[in-house]
Amino acid sequence: MKRRKFVKGVAFAGVVGLSTRSIESCNVVKPPFYIATWNNEQAVKTAIEKYSSSSSLLEGLVKGINYVEDNPADQSVGYGGRPDRDGNVTLDACIMDEKGNAGSVCYVQNYKNPISIAHDVMVETPHVILAGAGAESFADRMGYKKENLLTEESKEQYKQWIKKSEYKPIINIENHDTIGMLAYDESKIVGGCSTSGLAYKMAGRVGDSPIIGSGLFVDNEVGACVATGLGEKVLTNLSSFLVVELMRGGVSPEAACKEALKRIIAKEDGTPNFQVGLIAVSKAGKSGAYALYEGFNYVYASATEFWRKPAPYFYTYK
Ligand code: ASP
């Protein structure tokens, strides 16, 4: 049954232009490096710069993600993020280190750097996840500044949206860009992600990004994966954990991402009408990505190199 559904999806995709790419690409690049979702070039550049001065892979990662959280022009992450349908900006983030330690915050309001708060949850508390008011009072105790994250631009867009209040679960591919980042330095792999989630989501909604194994998973013995796209699908397929487990079985990063997406496709009744993108790094320092739909890029920076690449994909869209 699942197989039949998948074949059906692919057949429809053929009509709109199924990707025919069959040669797998595998990036082998000089460590240390940072790799991130979407067009977050400045984030990976900031991360490698911080690494150069601190020699800490994790500090570089946090600094790189902070860059996006602080940037009001990015309306899917941190300050300036699009609000939920009640008009509140609520943030999710998580982080994982090479020892398997993890920290996460979800449904955080009024603190623009959830990746830093997640880092502090990992380092300073006996817990992995803090949510809502508890996460906010922890942030307050840790000295984070409380501020309104709704910018005029996001407020104006929200005012327009509320007129019809139409929530379309079909993701506009240009309209979401969680920052997910993985870092590699030969002996260590670490990862993190941060997002304001889906625009105009229900109040209280938490996506995949702060959930270890869904939005992010790191196993220093094997590799790491980070996800972006429709969080509900990533959550119910535990996609990042699955990619790492596939790599454990010897599958390359790109092929593992592709296989994890096939599992999502197989559960859909027809062609998926949402985007999911995955990027992965293996213990050997190879990296790869795959997406359901055309339009997902990923970026890479080391001390000497920088590139941005489109991920291979299953479907094109009109
Ligand atoms: N995965 C995020 C979420 O569902 C959204 C995104 O990647 O843009 O909250």
Side-chain angles (χ1 to χ4, degrees):
M1 179 61 179
K2 284 176 184 168
R3 170 79 188 146
R4 191 178 62 75
K5 280 183 186 169
F6 174 52
V7 171
K8 190 174 148 201
V10 167
F12 174 73
V15 175
V16 291
L18 177 69
S19 164
T20 51
R21 177 194 285 252
S22 57
I23 301 163
E24 190 188 314
S25 67
C26 193
N27 311 305
V28 187
V29 281
K30 205 174 163 301
F33 65 81
Y34 289 83
I35 187 163
T37 52
W38 300 106
N39 297 328
N40 286 306
E41 41 266 87
Q42 205 46 52
V44 283
K45 286 178 182 169
T46 302
I48 197 75
E49 267 167 39
K50 182 68 186 175
Y51 176 87
S52 309
S53 62
S54 68
S55 300
S56 164
L57 211 55
L58 206 60
E59 273 185 44
L61 180 108
V62 170
K63 193 81 177 166
I65 294 178
N66 283 162
Y67 173 86
V68 186
E69 291 174 333
D70 291 345
N71 181 6
D74 189 316
Q75 291 184 287
S76 304
V77 179
Y79 176 60
R82 291 189 186 84
D84 66 15
R85 63 185 65 175
D86 292 352
N88 299 312
V89 181
T90 73
L91 307 178
D92 295 337
C94 78
I95 192 164
M96 211 167 168
D97 75 7
E98 76 283 1
K99 294 188 184 123
N101 298 312
S104 157
V105 288
C106 42
Y107 200 59
V108 170
Q109 298 182 48
N110 302 315
Y111 292 90
K112 72 177 175 188
N113 294 126
I115 193 70
S116 300
I117 308 169
H119 172 269
D120 291 355
V121 170
M122 176 171 82
V123 174
E124 305 288 343
T125 81
H127 305 305
V128 172
I129 305 180
L130 292 181
E136 287 157 23
S137 62
F138 172 70
D140 188 52
R141 286 200 303 281
M142 295 301 292
Y144 290 92
K145 188 176 150 212
K146 191 170 181 178
E147 58 198 303
N148 179 13
L149 305 182
L150 191 63
T151 54
E152 279 309 310
E153 194 177 353
S154 289
K155 200 181 191 168
E156 274 315 305
Q157 289 174 10
Y158 171 68
K159 278 187 190 159
Q160 292 307 316
W161 178 81
I162 200 107
K163 288 181 187 161
K164 285 192 179 163
S165 296
E166 234 173 28
Y167 181 70
K168 290 192 188 136
I170 300 168
I171 293 205
N172 175 348
I173 291 163
E174 309 308 331
N175 203 22
H176 65 100
D177 49 5
T178 289
I179 169 87
M181 191 184 284
L182 304 173
Y184 176 90
D185 82 353
E186 267 172 315
S187 66
K188 289 192 212 85
I189 311 171
V190 302
C193 52
S194 180
T195 189
S196 52
L198 301 177
Y200 319 128
K201 61 195 177 185
M202 288 174 70
R205 184 262 188 188
V206 171
D208 59 311
S209 304
I211 306 301
I212 304 298
S214 287
L216 170 73
F217 196 67
V218 177
D219 182 331
N220 205 51
E221 297 301 307
V222 179
C225 175
V226 72
T228 182
L230 188 65
E232 281 68 13
K233 300 296 176 180
V234 178
L235 277 167
T236 48
N237 287 279
L238 218 55
S239 301
S240 292
F241 180 72
L242 175 58
V243 168
V244 172
E245 288 308 295
L246 288 163
M247 290 195 292
R248 192 189 301 281
V251 177
S252 75
E254 181 182 306
C257 292
K258 186 176 183 182
E259 176 57 30
L261 293 171
K262 278 189 187 172
R263 305 273 181 101
I264 294 178
I265 294 168
K267 291 181 187 163
E268 292 305 304
D269 197 9
T271 305
N273 60 359
F274 53 84
Q275 173 70 302
V276 174
L278 301 171
I279 60 173
V281 173
S282 73
K283 181 66 184 167
K286 293 178 179 166
S287 59
Y290 221 90
L292 287 180
Y293 276 90
E294 180 182 21
F296 173 55
N297 299 316
Y298 63 119
V299 288
Y300 158 91
S302 72
T304 52
E305 248 185 289
F306 167 78
W307 49 249
R308 176 172 61 206
K309 277 191 183 178
Y313 52 86
F314 286 94
Y315 307 104
T316 55
Y317 62 100
K318 286 180 184 168

